[in-house]
Amino acid sequence: MGNIFFNVKQILKMLTQNFLLPVVYEFWRLIYRGKKADLIIFADAHHHSLPVSMECMHQALEDKGYSLTDVFCDYESLSAAGVFFQAAKFMRLYARASHVFICDNFLPVSSCRKREDTTVVQLWHSCGALKKTGYDARDDIPAHYVGNIYKNYNLVTVSAPYAVPALSGAMRQPEGVVRATGVSRTDIYYDPAFQKRCREKFRQEHPEAEGKKVILWAPTFRGNAGRPREVGFQAVTALEEEMGEKYFFLKKLHPHMEKWFPFSNSKIPTEELLAVADLLITDYSSIVFDYCFQGRPFVLFAPDLEEYEADRGFYLDYETLGPYLARNDAELKTAVREALREENPDWIRSFREFHVSACDGHATERILRLLKL
C-alpha cells in the first residue's frame, strides 16, 4: 500500500511541476512584466513556521533592514488540492522575487523557467555528505520521475570542500553552484547565549534529568514518504533499562517519521538538545555533523549497515566516521559505556576539520557577501 501511495504522489508531483505550476508562473510573469524583481522570499514546504535552517539568514537580513516575505506551509498536512493552492500562491510571489531562500527540496521553485534576475539560494539543511541523497538515492527520486527537482538553483551552500562534488552530482548542478561557504544555521552553535538558552529550556522541560548524564538517540529517516522504517528503538530502550537511574535517555526521531512512530519523548527541537547531550547515538543521520560542534563523542548504531549500504549507499567509508561503531545490542552497550568515559576526544577535532571546515561561525555573512546583500 505504501508503494502505491508513493507512486501516486510522484505522478501528481510530475503533473504539477511540468504542467500546472509553469502555467501559473507565466501568467504572473506577464502581469509583472517590466516590473523590478523586488521580493526576498523565504519558502519551505515542510514547516508551518520559519525552519531552524533559515533562522540565522532570516535574522541577518532583517538586521540589515530588508523586508522579507515568508511562505511556510507543511504540504504533508494538506490534500492534493491544498498543496496546489499553496504552491500557486508561491508562484505569484516567485514571479516578483529578487531572491528566494529555501533549505530543503521545494518543488515550486523548480517548476518553471524563472526570470534571470531571480536568484535561488538553497541553504541545504544537512552538513557534510554521508548517505546518498537526491538523484543518487532511489528512495528520494525514483528513476521514472520526469522533471528536475533541483532546477533553477543559483547557489547551494555546503559545510566543507569534500561535500561539493557529492552534492553537485546528487542535485545535478553545474560547476560553481554548490559552494563550500559553510552552512548558515551552524553559526548559532558558536553563540554562547544560544547554548545557555538550550540548557535552561531543557532544565525547565525535563527537571527529572537533573544530575544525570543525558544520552540522545536521534536516528535518520529510512524508506520513503509512503513507507518509512524504524530501526533501533527496542535496542535503545533495553539499554536505557540496563543503565539505570543515573542516565536520562532522550529519543528524537526524524520529523518525517514521528507521525508513523510516536517514540520521541521531548518536544524540544533536536538542534537544541545537542547542547545538553553528553552522548549522541545515531545511525546514518547528518546530525553527527551538528553534534561535533559540542566537542563530545558519538556512537554509531548500525545493525542494518549492509542492507542500508546496498539500498542507499554512502559518499564516504562509513566505518571510518568514528571509533564507536555498534552493529548489535551487545556492541551498543559496550560502545556507549566506553564513549561516556572519554573526555575531550582528539578525533572529534579532526572530524570537524574535515566535515565542517567551512562552518566557523561566519557562514551567514560569507553567503551574504557572495550574494551582495
Side-chain angles (χ1 to χ4, degrees):
M1 187 69 181
N3 274 339
I4 294 174
F5 171 78
F6 180 72
N7 288 328
V8 169
K9 187 175 180 180
Q10 299 309 307
I11 292 171
L12 290 174
K13 284 173 65 175
M14 286 189 284
L15 177 64
T16 302
Q17 177 180 7
N18 295 306
F19 298 103
L20 301 179
L21 292 183
V23 171
V24 175
Y25 182 84
E26 287 302 323
F27 171 80
W28 289 111
R29 187 172 182 174
L30 287 172
I31 296 294
Y32 297 133
R33 184 172 54 187
K35 292 186 177 182
K36 182 181 178 182
D38 58 358
L39 295 181
I40 298 179
I41 302 172
F42 281 73
D44 185 77
H46 303 280
H47 302 82
H48 286 302
S49 57
L50 182 70
V52 171
S53 296
M54 291 179 168
E55 287 179 356
C56 290
M57 182 62 69
H58 197 276
Q59 186 63 55
L61 286 168
E62 284 188 331
D63 291 345
K64 284 177 171 286
Y66 288 102
S67 177
L68 309 178
T69 301
D70 294 337
V71 185
F72 305 129
C73 185
D74 182 4
Y75 285 8
E76 288 292 328
S77 66
L78 304 176
S79 65
V83 169
F84 174 72
F85 176 73
Q86 291 296 328
K89 285 173 60 179
F90 168 79
M91 300 307 278
R92 178 180 181 177
L93 297 169
Y94 192 19
R96 285 182 50 195
S98 64
H99 293 80
V100 178
F101 291 88
I102 58 177
C103 64
D104 205 333
N105 295 350
F106 187 70
L107 192 66
V109 88
S110 302
S111 297
C112 63
R113 184 177 179 181
K114 71 176 177 67
R115 52 191 290 177
E116 292 184 1
D117 54 350
T118 298
T119 299
V120 174
V121 183
Q122 172 61 270
L123 301 172
W124 191 238
H125 59 280
S126 296
C127 290
L130 178 54
K131 60 181 181 287
K132 290 187 176 180
T133 188
Y135 284 99
D136 292 338
R138 289 175 296 179
D139 278 337
D140 284 3
I141 305 172
H144 63 263
Y145 192 90
V146 177
N148 184 354
I149 297 294
Y150 305 108
K151 180 181 174 183
N152 287 334
Y153 290 179
N154 296 100
L155 175 65
V156 180
T157 62
V158 297
S159 64
Y162 89 96
V164 170
L167 271 295
S168 295
M171 297 183 181
R172 295 182 177 175
Q173 297 299 312
E175 185 177 354
V177 171
V178 181
R179 305 280 292 272
T181 60
V183 174
S184 173
R185 66 179 173 79
T186 63
D187 290 351
I188 200 72
Y189 297 134
Y190 289 86
D191 182 0
F194 169 76
Q195 300 284 348
K196 182 180 179 181
R197 287 197 304 272
C198 290
R199 290 190 290 269
E200 291 175 347
K201 184 176 181 179
F202 180 75
R203 282 195 291 268
Q204 292 173 0
E205 297 269 342
H206 297 284
E208 69 275 22
E210 188 68 31
K212 300 180 181 181
K213 289 278 189 178
V214 177
I215 299 175
L216 170 63
W217 174 58
T220 192
F221 180 86
R222 286 174 169 83
N224 58 52
R227 190 175 59 181
R229 295 183 294 110
E230 179 278 317
V231 175
F233 177 75
Q234 290 184 343
V236 171
T237 300
L239 176 65
E240 178 182 13
E241 293 173 355
E242 180 175 311
M243 294 195 70
E245 294 296 320
K246 292 182 179 180
Y247 300 90
F248 184 76
F249 277 71
L250 286 165
K251 304 179 181 74
K252 286 293 288 187
L253 269 68
H254 190 284
H256 297 339
M257 293 183 67
E258 287 189 344
K259 71 175 182 179
W260 300 84
F261 306 101
F263 298 155
S264 297
N265 63 350
S266 180
K267 296 179 180 179
I268 300 174
T270 306
E271 292 81 4
E272 297 178 22
L273 293 174
L274 300 180
V276 303
D278 295 288
L279 179 72
L280 171 70
I281 302 173
T282 188
D283 41 25
Y284 319 113
S285 173
S286 63
I287 199 69
V288 293
F289 304 123
D290 287 56
Y291 189 62
C292 75
F293 292 100
Q294 305 297 331
R296 296 188 284 271
F298 56 82
V299 170
L300 300 170
F301 182 43
D304 60 341
L305 178 56
E306 286 75 17
E307 177 188 353
Y308 194 89
E309 187 161 19
D311 287 346
R312 179 174 283 265
F314 302 100
Y315 292 116
L316 44 75
D317 184 351
Y318 179 80
E319 297 188 37
T320 66
L321 208 57
Y324 303 110
L325 171 60
R327 295 172 178 267
N328 55 51
D329 295 19
E331 290 180 358
L332 176 63
K333 296 172 184 178
T334 300
V336 166
R337 293 186 184 279
E338 289 180 355
L340 284 170
R341 289 195 291 267
E342 190 171 21
E343 296 183 4
N344 300 316
D346 289 337
W347 64 271
I348 289 291
R349 284 189 285 275
S350 59
F351 181 95
R352 284 178 63 170
E353 289 171 3
F354 181 73
H355 293 284
V356 293
S357 58
C359 299
D360 57 359
H362 303 284
T364 301
E365 60 185 82
R366 190 177 300 114
I367 296 166
L368 288 174
R369 284 200 303 270
L370 192 60
L371 297 171
K372 298 180 180 180
L373 285 173

